[in-house]
Amino acid sequence: TLPYVIFIPSIRYLPHTVTKNCTSNQTVENEVEDSKQKIVSQSLTMSNKSPPNIAIIAISNGTQSGQPNPVNALSAHVRQYLQKSLATSLSDPKVTAIVLIGRPDGKGVFSAGADIKEFSGSDDESSTGGVTTSDPDGIPTLNDLAHLIEKSPKPIIAALTGATLGGGMELALAAQYRVADESLKYGLPEVKIGLIPGAGGTQRLPRLCGVRHALDVIVRGRINGTASEGLKFGFLDGVASEDEGILEVALRWASWASTLSPEKLDSRRLCLKTVPNDEEGMDNSDLCDFALQSVPPKDMGGESVHATIEAIRASFELSSFQKGMEAEKNIFNDLLYHSLAGRAYRHIFFAERSSSSGRQLSKMKSAPSVVGSQLKKGKGAIGVIGAGTMGRGIAISFLRAGFGPVTLVDVNPKGLDAGIKYIQTTIHGEVKKGRIPGSKAKGILNHVKSSSDISYLADCDLVVEAVFENLKVKKEIFTKLNNLVVKKDALLLSNTSSLDVDVIASSLSPERRQYCAGMHFFSPAHIMKLVEVVRGQATSGATLEIICAVTKRIKKVPVVVGNCDGFVGNRMMHPYTSESALLLADYGGKGGLTIADVDNALGRNGHGMAIGPFLVSDIAGNDIGYNIRREKGLLSDHRTGQVGPNRKNGMRYTELADEMVEKWGRVGQKAQKGWYNYDPNVGNGRKALPSPEMEELIIKHSMNSPHKGTKLSKDEIIHRVLFPLVNEGFKILEEGIALDPSDIDIIYLYGYGWPAFKGGPMFWADNYIGLTKLLNELEKFHEMCPGSDYFRPSELLKRCVDLGVGVQEYYKKGYAASGATTPQSKL
């Protein structure tokens, strides 16, 4: 149940790859090892009925009635069941060995770890998720269970299948023996929610497999350890062959282990072992030091990563297992209670799972639809209109998920050929990288169709229009689709990033409009995880449900939003990009604020965004923003000097970004010049270089500013640019465009490179800034710059401050339902 989406840099540079089994089993007597190998090689056949002397304890049997638990999360109820079952088996004289398995039939997962809902991170020590601190009601912690398993006088064999993650893997580590089948995926990914393994993972894994493998698994937060890898590094003792099941193997091992002497069984208890030396001769301490070189700083989201290395180091530096466990517990609790970045990671984990797509759809009932049913199963014919950057990326996303045929349509034959070639090159590239088997790639490419005739989409189940942002062109396309698509319940979707979905849907017959919505991908579409699902006035709940199901099928994150200019993400980007340019016009010039100053303040080494706003614009193309401003009637006529009809009197505006495109052709990296210069011989033409031409333009456009030639601090830049972005988020919530603040956070995390350790714009405002400070600063900025309406504080923000609550708490406590906002008005 741990997140796979939050980026934690990998330790890629630990020297060499372990080629030998690095295991602490070296101290086990040769006699035991020889006996074990004999047992492994035997071809014994077990009956479906287990021997009476072997107890089988299935984790799934501890699930509370009426509470689905498909991943065998180790909730309080499950832990109580396991403790009681273990105690019963240990006290029964007839039982000589125990098998711990995920499900009685040996299928599904072993356990994906602790029940993350039990982690609150409050000052109350009962909020540790049942990992480290005992419950006053006697509910055992994971540590209690691990100790009970490890100290068992009777051998316990962990039979591992599927996901064996986090606390599930920690229980397996405590067992005397571990066997698995080929479905196993093991790992300790707690670092991804801002924690460390807290039930002995940082102490037992180094003792069993060595520090090198422990660093690889724990610091990287891996969730993909395989059965073959487990055997190689000593985590596993045996793997089921093709002709036997996991339960059969586990019972065979249990029968053998029940004959071992107490002394031989003690040799399997990791708490009695020390950490082995590295198989490749490096000092364990040096391995930890090396790992530290490739992880992010603590203040840039790296607290938990540094903490894992500290805990692993404790496994070999402290004098006993008990002292190592105490160190692990203290580090775990310190992160849980005091790490704001950790809270941000856990916020994201829950936000993704309770986003508007999930909240809304749980209340929807789908109308019967053959097309919808097929699409939910990952089947159906897909049409993509437009073979440009977005269209080809969307096509790849559907192809990789198994949909087909996927027909790419473009009226430009050269563009169509380029799009098909790009798809083929991308798929072949993924084969070379080992991401797709060659046989699957062949099937994928066989599903690719292309045409310059839109009528080839007549039999499609779902069509995504992905042409350039021109409302007239999009309406013409949907008019054609209305007349040619045969299936009346086919989904007709637009990838528009800002245009009115209702106006687009008006090109369809009234009967078809319920099947029309926005499906806004982010570029590059086959890489970016976010999809904004835009609900129009006529869009049915069933249509939204299908789109969200399809989005998950193509391994992306859907967030349902309302229909307005820019929806959520791009609407909030307007003040961000506008204020960035205006800062240059206000404070630029000789000795003043520079393009790099703004990008550095907001980028990876400043606030933490993936890249700054000017570099983003150069990569995307500065002509995109220029064309949007032209469509909105904001540009001046360069021939007459007449100001655009929609540029209101007193509106704060700079023509800096307009002139650089219109007069100087500085459209970005594709022209080797934008806000920065680009040299094809430097960094493959992608490295941003200072531009003397832009410096002169900034001097020109800042010459009348009373603040020209002034530097701003990083914090001043961040506040001026990001506070209005957050303020727009509050206004979006007021209008009901987004259903919950966490939806906005997910959109910015997956769509715009917001730093995960700051949890998203709304979490950041609540927890890093404070809403009172946010309101005060916005009022000050609005007084300074009355021509920028995005500084005008949101009424929802004022209400939260008056109530003394954060915006997330405002929604959780139900104030939104009774207050001045109408959170469902657009949804």
Side-chain angles (χ1 to χ4, degrees):
T1 60
L2 295 167
Y4 58 88
V5 293
I6 304 165
F7 176 70
I8 299 291
S10 301
I11 301 179
R12 302 177 187 175
Y13 309 111
L14 287 180
H16 310 300
T17 300
V18 177
T19 57
K20 295 175 65 180
N21 186 357
C22 179
T23 172
S24 60
N25 293 347
Q26 297 158 0
T27 60
V28 180
E29 293 88 334
N30 290 336
E31 178 186 348
V32 176
E33 291 300 311
D34 291 342
S35 298
K36 184 174 74 174
Q37 294 304 319
K38 291 176 183 177
I39 293 296
V40 174
S41 63
Q42 288 176 359
S43 300
L44 300 178
T45 302
M46 307 295 297
S47 65
N48 290 331
K49 185 176 181 181
S50 64
N53 65 313
I54 300 176
I56 299 176
I57 300 174
I59 296 172
S60 63
N61 286 343
T63 298
Q64 196 167 4
S65 178
Q67 299 292 325
N69 188 13
V71 296
N72 281 347
L74 298 167
S75 64
H77 198 272
V78 171
R79 297 196 305 275
Q80 284 180 307
Y81 163 78
L82 291 176
Q83 182 187 51
K84 182 178 179 180
S85 299
L86 286 166
T88 299
S89 299
L90 292 174
S91 63
D92 187 344
K94 297 190 296 294
V95 173
T96 59
I98 300 167
V99 171
L100 181 62
I101 196 166
R103 283 176 40 175
D105 60 4
K107 297 180 180 179
V109 306
F110 179 73
S111 172
D115 185 348
I116 309 302
K117 294 190 295 294
E118 294 183 7
F119 290 92
S120 68
S122 68
D123 293 331
D124 177 6
E125 290 208 346
S126 66
S127 66
T128 62
V131 176
T132 62
T133 305
S134 298
D135 188 277
D137 295 328
I139 298 173
T141 66
L142 286 178
N143 260 321
D144 294 334
L145 291 177
H147 290 316
L148 182 61
I149 291 169
E150 188 167 52
K151 294 179 180 179
S152 167
K154 302 175 182 180
I156 297 179
I157 287 75
L160 310 180
T161 56
T164 301
L165 305 175
M169 181 175 172
E170 289 177 295
L171 292 186
L173 283 166
Q176 286 74 45
Y177 292 94
R178 289 157 295 280
V179 296
D181 66 14
E182 291 295 342
S183 70
L184 174 68
K185 296 295 179 186
Y186 72 87
L188 293 168
E190 286 84 351
V191 68
K192 294 183 178 180
I193 55 169
L195 296 170
I196 67 168
T202 66
Q203 304 305 301
R204 290 190 178 93
L205 188 58
R207 284 171 165 81
L208 180 62
C209 300
V211 168
R212 184 185 294 266
H213 190 54
L215 287 168
D216 182 52
V217 172
I218 302 174
V219 178
R220 292 176 64 188
R222 289 185 54 196
I223 58 172
N224 61 350
T226 62
S228 59
E229 187 178 4
L231 272 179
K232 176 181 177 180
F233 291 104
F235 172 59
L236 295 178
D237 299 291
V239 175
S241 61
E242 292 181 0
D243 59 350
E244 61 183 349
I246 184 62
L247 187 55
E248 182 180 345
V249 176
L251 290 172
R252 176 154 52 82
W253 277 79
S255 295
W256 166 75
S258 65
T259 66
L260 297 178
S261 67
E263 293 77 19
K264 292 177 180 178
L265 201 56
D266 280 346
S267 70
R268 302 292 301 179
R269 304 187 202 282
L270 296 177
C271 62
L272 302 179
K273 294 182 176 296
T274 57
V275 176
N277 294 328
D278 180 56
E279 284 283 305
E280 296 187 26
M282 281 193 72
D283 185 82
N284 285 332
S285 183
D286 290 342
L287 284 171
C288 291
D289 291 341
F290 200 94
L292 283 171
Q293 296 176 23
S294 58
V295 300
K298 288 184 179 181
D299 62 352
M300 295 298 288
E303 284 177 286
S304 59
V305 191
H306 284 260
T308 60
I309 298 173
E310 180 185 352
I312 291 170
R313 195 187 293 274
S315 71
F316 59 84
E317 287 190 346
L318 298 184
S319 60
S320 69
F321 177 81
Q322 289 72 24
K323 288 183 178 179
M325 288 295 295
E326 189 64 27
E328 180 188 83
K329 175 181 176 179
N330 291 338
I331 294 169
F332 178 93
N333 287 341
D334 183 58
L335 286 171
L336 182 64
Y337 300 134
H338 304 125
S339 171
L340 188 51
R343 284 179 55 201
Y345 288 135
R346 293 189 290 281
H347 165 73
I348 291 166
F349 175 85
F350 291 116
E352 181 183 344
R353 285 151 183 79
S354 62
S355 66
S356 62
S357 54
R359 275 188 295 268
Q360 285 201 128
L361 299 180
S362 62
K363 300 177 182 178
M364 294 178 183
K365 292 185 178 179
S366 300
S369 167
V370 175
V371 167
S373 299
Q374 287 292 98
L375 290 170
K376 286 181 182 180
K377 295 175 182 177
K379 300 177 182 179
I382 308 298
V384 180
I385 304 173
T389 301
M390 289 300 296
R392 61 185 67 169
I394 293 169
I396 291 170
S397 298
F398 280 99
L399 286 164
R400 284 192 303 209
F403 287 92
V406 175
T407 304
L408 189 64
V409 171
D410 198 302
V411 294
N412 180 352
K414 289 185 178 180
L416 185 61
D417 289 343
I420 293 298
K421 184 177 180 180
Y422 181 86
I423 292 171
Q424 293 169 340
T425 302
T426 300
I427 298 300
H428 287 313
E430 293 187 347
V431 173
K432 290 180 181 178
K433 294 174 183 177
R435 296 174 182 171
I436 297 178
S439 57
K440 182 179 179 181
K442 185 177 180 180
I444 287 174
L445 293 176
N446 285 339
H447 275 146
V448 181
K449 310 296 179 185
S450 65
S451 177
S452 57
D453 185 352
I454 195 172
S455 66
Y456 273 69
L457 303 181
D459 294 323
C460 283
D461 300 293
L462 182 152
V463 178
V464 181
E465 166 274 306
V467 303
F468 56 93
E469 289 288 89
N470 183 290
L471 190 58
K472 181 181 178 182
V473 172
K474 289 180 185 287
K475 289 185 67 177
E476 289 173 353
I477 288 172
F478 274 77
T479 298
K480 292 178 181 178
L481 291 174
N482 184 69
N483 296 326
L484 68 90
V485 175
V486 174
K487 298 171 185 175
K488 297 304 180 184
D489 56 349
L491 269 58
L492 305 179
L493 312 174
S494 175
N495 179 55
T496 178
S497 61
S498 60
L499 299 177
D500 192 327
V501 171
D502 290 327
V503 174
I504 294 171
S506 69
S507 303
L508 301 173
S509 64
E511 296 78 16
R512 279 199 186 269
R513 291 174 191 171
Q514 63 178 308
Y515 302 111
C516 180
M519 192 176 187
H520 177 209
F521 289 79
F522 286 72
S523 184
H526 58 298
I527 295 174
M528 298 294 282
K529 290 180 66 68
L530 178 69
V531 173
E532 281 183 320
V533 180
V534 186
R535 183 174 192 172
Q537 287 184 348
T539 309
S540 70
T543 295
L544 289 179
E545 184 180 23
I546 296 166
I547 298 171
C548 288
V550 168
T551 302
K552 292 173 185 177
R553 278 275 177 187
I554 61 177
K555 297 185 177 179
K556 299 190 183 296
V557 179
V559 180
V560 178
V561 300
N563 181 29
C564 68
D565 183 11
F567 315 130
V568 171
N570 283 343
R571 175 172 164 180
M572 290 172 66
M573 281 300 286
H574 167 65
Y576 177 78
T577 55
S578 296
E579 189 59 25
S580 295
L582 284 162
L583 284 179
L584 297 179
D586 284 349
Y587 298 94
K590 291 183 179 180
L593 198 66
T594 67
I595 295 167
D597 288 337
V598 177
D599 272 356
N600 290 338
L602 295 163
R604 196 171 295 281
N605 295 320
H607 176 72
M609 300 289 281
I611 51 178
F614 296 117
L615 185 53
V616 167
S617 187
D618 275 357
I619 293 171
N622 298 313
D623 50 330
I624 294 175
Y626 175 85
N627 289 332
I628 290 173
R629 293 190 295 275
R630 182 177 59 189
E631 288 289 319
K632 290 183 176 181
L634 298 175
L635 299 187
S636 295
D637 189 320
H638 68 278
R639 294 165 299 183
T640 65
Q642 180 70 36
V643 173
N646 292 329
R647 199 191 304 176
K648 301 175 183 177
N649 288 334
M651 180 180 176
R652 193 160 159 257
Y653 191 90
T654 176
E655 295 186 349
L656 170 61
D658 301 337
E659 183 176 342
M660 64 180 279
V661 171
E662 194 171 78
K663 292 186 178 180
W664 302 97
R666 302 188 68 92
V667 295
Q669 287 186 355
K670 57 190 173 185
Q672 297 179 15
K673 59 180 183 178
W675 292 98
Y676 298 96
N677 284 346
Y678 300 91
D679 184 335
N681 298 315
V682 180
N684 294 320
R686 296 179 181 178
K687 182 175 176 58
L689 304 171
S691 167
E693 189 171 75
M694 284 306 301
E695 290 174 8
E696 291 301 316
L697 269 178
I698 292 170
I699 289 172
K700 172 185 174 181
H701 286 273
S702 63
M703 62 187 305
N704 295 324
S705 170
H707 307 296
K708 65 182 177 183
T710 304
K711 285 286 189 182
L712 295 178
S713 70
K714 280 189 177 181
D715 282 346
E716 287 175 315
I717 295 169
I718 289 169
H719 293 176
R720 282 287 291 268
V721 174
L722 290 183
F723 282 9
L725 178 147
V726 172
N727 191 42
E728 199 66 30
F730 275 91
K731 293 176 182 179
I732 283 168
L733 289 168
E734 281 179 30
E735 298 168 21
I737 300 299
L739 189 62
D740 189 272
S742 63
D743 293 349
I744 295 174
D745 290 337
I746 289 297
I747 287 170
Y748 262 78
L749 176 75
Y750 292 131
Y752 295 88
W754 188 274
F757 67 91
K758 291 186 177 176
M762 311 313 285
F763 180 92
W764 178 68
D766 266 350
N767 297 279
Y768 279 83
I769 301 302
L771 299 193
T772 299
K773 179 178 178 178
L774 175 65
L775 176 59
N776 291 340
E777 290 294 298
L778 284 169
E779 288 176 336
K780 181 180 74 175
F781 294 152
H782 195 222
E783 185 177 348
M784 289 170 51
C785 309
S788 291
D789 192 59
Y790 48 67
F791 283 133
R792 177 182 55 80
S794 151
E795 293 302 317
L796 173 58
L797 171 59
K798 293 178 182 178
R799 182 172 174 80
C800 287
V801 172
D802 288 342
L803 291 170
V805 298
V807 65
Q808 194 66 60
E809 186 181 4
Y810 182 88
Y811 276 76
K812 284 182 178 178
K813 288 189 172 181
Y815 291 127
S818 59
T821 61
T822 54
Q824 298 189 48
S825 60
K826 299 290 184 181
L827 296 173

